[in-house]
Amino acid sequence: MSRRHARVTAIGIAGALLLAACSGGAVETGKIAGRAGGEPAAGARPVRIQASNFEFSPEHLTVQQREEIALRLQSEDSSHNFAIDGLGLVVDVGGGETATARLRIDEPGKYTYFCTIPGHRDGGMKGTITVR
Ligand SMILES: [Cu+2]
């Protein structure tokens, strides 16, 4: 590969990454106190959610303030994820797979969860989580 070709390729990759970052339906973080992602805490309550094109089941969840949740996301078709507006990405799941991650919200309120994959939220992949 020539030096010039290498530089053009590098610019192309940077552009593709930037595009991916911009079109990914980014989730806002740092507005809600809590934990999103990583290993579930010991003794966490398991909560199962099914993800499919284009809905979550259930569409409503209720948890207690500061309650440790082991969120188990099961994909019935393609890749999906579960993110909470203001808190962050909780878990990603590959097509037909199941993945589990930590979730804890420290402030009571009503929050929105959704799938960040482009088009999925607009297609209906969203729900509400009530924290008491
Ligand atoms: Cu999705």
Side-chain angles (χ1 to χ4, degrees), residues 21-100:
C22 291
S23 63
V27 55
E28 252 194 310
T29 61
K31 298 237 161 142
I32 305 168
R35 297 292 293 267
E39 281 294 306
R45 175 164 69 94
V47 171
R48 291 165 185 241
I49 298 187
Q50 290 182 324
S52 60
N53 293 323
F54 294 99
E55 63 178 359
F56 285 114
S57 177
E59 300 183 298
H60 302 284
L61 295 175
T62 301
V63 302
Q64 301 299 312
Q65 180 183 6
R66 301 189 64 82
E67 183 181 21
E68 289 286 355
I69 301 295
L71 191 82
R72 186 179 162 93
L73 187 65
Q74 181 187 349
S75 163
E76 299 192 330
D77 40 43
S78 56
S79 294
H80 294 290
N81 61 46
F82 181 101
I84 296 179
D85 251 343
L87 182 67
L89 179 68
V90 178
V91 63
D92 268 309
V93 68
E97 296 178 356
T98 298
T100 304

Side-chain angles (χ1 to χ4, degrees), residues 108-132:
K110 224 174 193 180
Y111 307 101
T112 300
Y113 56 85
F114 66 102
C115 177
T116 70
I117 295 175
H120 289 205
R121 183 181 192 162
D122 289 343
M125 291 197 78
K126 56 184 191 259
T128 54
I129 181 165
T130 301
V131 181
R132 295 190 192 284

